Amino acid sequence: MSTAAAAQSFNGNLKASSLFFRISLFIKALAGIRRIDLEGLKWRVFDAKGQVLGRLASHISTVVQGKDKPTYTPNREEGDMCIIINAKDVCVTGRKMTDKFYRWHTGYIGHLKERSLKDQMAKDPTEVIRKAVLRMLPRNKLRDDRDRKLRIFADSEHPFGDRPLEPYDMPPRQVREMRPRARRAMIRAQKKAEQQEQGTTNTRKGKKREEMEPESA
Amino acid sequence: MNKKEVFKLAKGFRGRAKNCIRIARERVEKALQYSYRDRRNKKRDMRSLWIQRINAGTRQHGVNYGNFMHGLMKENIQLNRKVLSEISMHEPYSFKALVDVSRSAFPGNKAAVPPKKEGLAILV
């Protein structure tokens, strides 16, 4: 029903190929919903735009396990449905974009494969968050059910618009003070940028600017 | 124990452990050891579960477990964790009152503003 509604809403806007792509994404997003008992579960929306990957995944994993409810029971699965949007805009600190590798072994001798975060984001940005959250969940029989409750979308559109959604407010992040070397490098870069700007503006209308400045100051 | 008692205790075991005396005796001995150990572990597990529930309940109001208990100790409220977890599950308004008492006694979580909710309707 909701896929038909999505198709109708998209009919006039997009090309055929992207339309099919979106519908296939939405079908995948709706898969397996009947397996979850949706009585009394909330639908929480996480906006991953500008959030740090691990910190976001840690909050998602607490919500998916149901650990933010006082009725938490370890043998029953009562976490809320989590919808994560803007998965392609999730940030990482340091050099993890190029240096964080996802590794897996295929089982054949010598076949240890690896893929960097950059390639994974190019290939499928939802997998980054999904792996991060799954690896934070306890490895027990409820892990697959919790995986089914995660619906991750690379951009900000999702087929669950008709449900009662609740946005999740991320707690403000305590950003660590910059290390001295990094701070000096940043100051140098800022100064360089300022000098370049001033240099270009001075050479353009040098005399007029010099006349203007003492007048204004 | 004689065989009859062993087999009585071995009901529900897997494979030959419920039928053949030699295997059943071993498994039953192990089961009794586990039950001895777990009678003590159960007390620990239950307390841990109460603490998790209290933590979840207080974080809904912007206070974490540690500061909450510190505040209660300061006010000399001697409710134990079992009762507190039951209150947090079934009596949300009373629990909010307790959280407020604790917060007034020990204002530890000023940075974490309790999430704005319309009235107390969205507590549970």
Side-chain angles (χ1 to χ4, degrees):
Chain A
M1 182 188 85
S2 44
T3 49
Q8 283 171 16
S9 68
F10 281 125
N11 253 337
N13 296 341
L14 308 169
K15 292 186 230 169
S17 58
S18 53
L19 174 64
F20 286 143
F21 182 61
R22 273 187 202 246
I23 289 191
S24 68
L25 274 184
F26 288 171
I27 292 175
K28 253 197 279 181
L30 290 163
I33 277 199
R34 253 181 284 152
R35 280 206 202 184
I36 317 169
D37 184 17
L38 282 178
E39 286 299 316
L41 291 184
K42 297 188 266 187
W43 291 68
R44 319 279 284 264
V45 178
F46 290 80
D47 190 0
K49 190 164 197 156
Q51 299 284 341
V52 181
L53 174 63
R55 292 179 194 260
L56 173 71
S58 146
H59 288 277
I60 296 175
S61 77
T62 34
V63 167
V64 154
Q65 285 179 62
K67 279 193 126 176
D68 53 345
K69 300 183 183 173
T71 49
Y72 169 70
T73 325
N75 58 346
R76 273 194 333 232
E77 176 41 38
E78 280 178 353
D80 297 328
M81 294 288 299
C82 291
I83 302 175
I84 299 131
I85 56 179
N86 292 325
K88 62 176 172 2
D89 297 322
V90 70
C91 311
V92 287
T93 55
R95 290 190 217 146
K96 286 181 222 166
M97 212 47 165
T98 45
D99 290 355
K100 178 173 166 77
F101 285 98
Y102 290 100
R103 297 188 164 96
W104 66 99
H105 199 280
T106 58
Y108 288 93
I109 292 270
H111 285 229
L112 178 69
K113 304 214 170 179
E114 64 180 21
R115 198 184 283 157
S116 77
L117 228 197
K118 214 163 51 158
D119 301 334
Q120 185 68 44
M121 294 288 269
K123 196 162 169 135
D124 187 9
T126 65
E127 271 306 302
V128 168
I129 299 190
R130 186 177 299 273
K131 272 201 172 66
V133 175
L134 274 187
R135 288 176 185 186
M136 290 192 183
L137 295 175
R139 276 50 152 203
N140 54 17
K141 293 184 187 174
L142 301 173
R143 197 163 167 242
D144 292 332
D145 300 327
R146 286 166 176 160
D147 183 23
R148 222 168 278 131
K149 291 192 173 175
L150 282 175
R151 306 283 156 156
I152 309 179
F153 300 96
D155 40 12
S156 48
E157 284 170 4
H158 55 91
F160 301 110
D162 48 346
R163 316 236 182 196
L165 301 170
E166 295 172 19
Y168 182 84
D169 303 316
M170 288 287 283
R173 192 182 145 214
Q174 299 158 329
V175 186
R176 178 186 68 193
E177 200 186 273
M178 265 193 141
R179 299 281 190 231
R181 181 189 285 190
R183 166 170 268 206
R184 276 182 260 136
M186 190 180 74
I187 291 178
R188 257 190 313 203
Q190 273 179 1
K191 281 196 181 158
K192 205 171 173 186
E194 283 173 12
Q195 273 182 4
Q196 273 194 349
E197 274 186 42
Q198 282 184 3
T200 51
T201 49
N202 274 340
T203 49
R204 268 189 217 163
K205 300 180 183 177
K207 288 183 185 174
K208 271 193 184 176
R209 234 197 121 82
E210 283 172 14
E211 285 173 15
M212 289 279 290
E213 279 178 5
E215 279 182 13
S216 58
Chain B
M1 300 189 275
N2 62 8
K3 287 196 211 170
K4 214 162 144 191
E5 291 168 20
V6 166
F7 282 129
K8 186 141 189 287
L9 286 171
K11 282 193 193 292
F13 285 14
R14 180 185 270 216
R16 277 189 281 165
K18 62 184 180 302
N19 297 326
C20 308
I21 185 58
R22 286 175 166 185
I23 303 171
R25 202 182 287 268
E26 287 174 17
R27 292 288 103 213
V28 162
E29 280 176 8
K30 204 54 187 271
L32 291 172
Q33 286 173 14
Y34 283 145
S35 80
Y36 179 86
R37 177 201 72 178
D38 288 330
R39 277 194 290 274
R40 284 127 182 85
N41 279 357
K42 183 158 74 170
K43 300 162 177 50
R44 305 180 208 166
D45 295 338
M46 291 309 286
R47 181 168 162 132
S48 151
L49 178 62
W50 298 330
I51 291 178
Q52 287 178 25
R53 285 181 171 163
I54 297 172
N55 207 349
T58 59
R59 275 174 205 258
Q60 279 181 345
H61 299 281
V63 173
N64 59 1
Y65 170 81
N67 294 342
F68 174 65
M69 295 308 280
H70 189 54
L72 288 191
M73 294 301 149
K74 272 197 163 183
E75 289 285 312
N76 197 18
I77 293 178
Q78 286 170 358
L79 291 170
N80 59 2
R81 284 140 181 91
K82 175 159 110 180
V83 162
L84 283 171
S85 77
E86 292 292 315
I87 296 177
S88 82
M89 278 204 288
H90 300 126
E91 312 282 335
Y93 298 106
S94 321
F95 195 65
K96 177 147 191 358
L98 276 171
V99 169
D100 290 334
V101 163
S102 167
R103 203 185 291 147
S104 66
F106 180 68
N109 291 62
K110 271 191 185 157
V113 178
K116 282 189 182 168
K117 293 180 178 165
E118 289 142 31
L120 295 176
I122 321 177
L123 267 183
V124 181

